[in-house]
Amino acid sequence: MSSDELVVAVEPSADGVVLISVRGSLDGWSDGDRLVDALTKAAEDRGRRTVVDLSGLTFADSTALHALLHGRRSHAAAGVPLVLAGPMNVKVLRLFEVTGTQEAFQFASSVEQARTC
């Protein structure tokens, strides 16, 4: 497995927080549907909160943004908070800046902070 290969791992916890960890590169060459599917299932399960750990994401393009916006919509419809956690790579932060989507998401500087904010 290369360091750019996309890995999406889902870890539900006893306190109702679902942690979705995203590692590698999430772009048009990777399977962005894995993140969409994980976010959709987390919203459907109606846990207390979903935290998406983006600290291991090395690159993201519109594929990543599409998946996260889809997740935001499904979570809003289910009434489940969705928090994006870092620290994030500057390339990933830039995606939110250039698209003007920073206000669409709740961000936390770490997974620990995201679990309780």
Side-chain angles (χ1 to χ4, degrees):
M1 175 169 82
S2 75
S3 63
D4 284 343
E5 185 176 337
L6 178 65
V7 176
V8 177
V10 180
E11 301 172 40
S13 65
D15 65 356
V17 175
V18 175
L19 175 63
I20 300 173
S21 299
V22 185
R23 305 277 182 259
S25 182
L26 182 50
D27 56 22
W29 297 104
S30 57
D31 183 8
D33 287 342
R34 286 191 282 172
L35 180 55
V36 170
D37 293 345
L39 287 165
T40 300
K41 181 161 179 8
E44 289 171 351
D45 289 349
R46 297 183 188 264
R48 185 172 63 85
R49 161 186 326 266
T50 300
V51 175
V52 182
D53 178 5
L54 299 177
S55 64
L57 194 59
T58 56
F59 179 78
D61 70 4
S62 61
T63 302
L65 186 59
H66 170 77
L68 292 169
L69 287 169
H70 175 79
R72 181 181 152 281
R73 284 189 301 274
S74 62
H75 277 74
V80 178
L82 175 67
V83 183
L84 307 184
M88 289 181 221
N89 183 301
V90 70
K91 293 176 188 174
V92 176
L93 286 172
R94 185 83 177 123
L95 174 66
F96 297 107
E97 291 171 4
V98 300
T99 60
T101 55
Q102 296 137 307
E103 299 300 318
F105 296 100
Q106 181 178 359
F107 292 93
S109 60
S110 68
V111 169
E112 293 76 26
Q113 181 189 43
R115 293 177 78 77
T116 60
C117 66

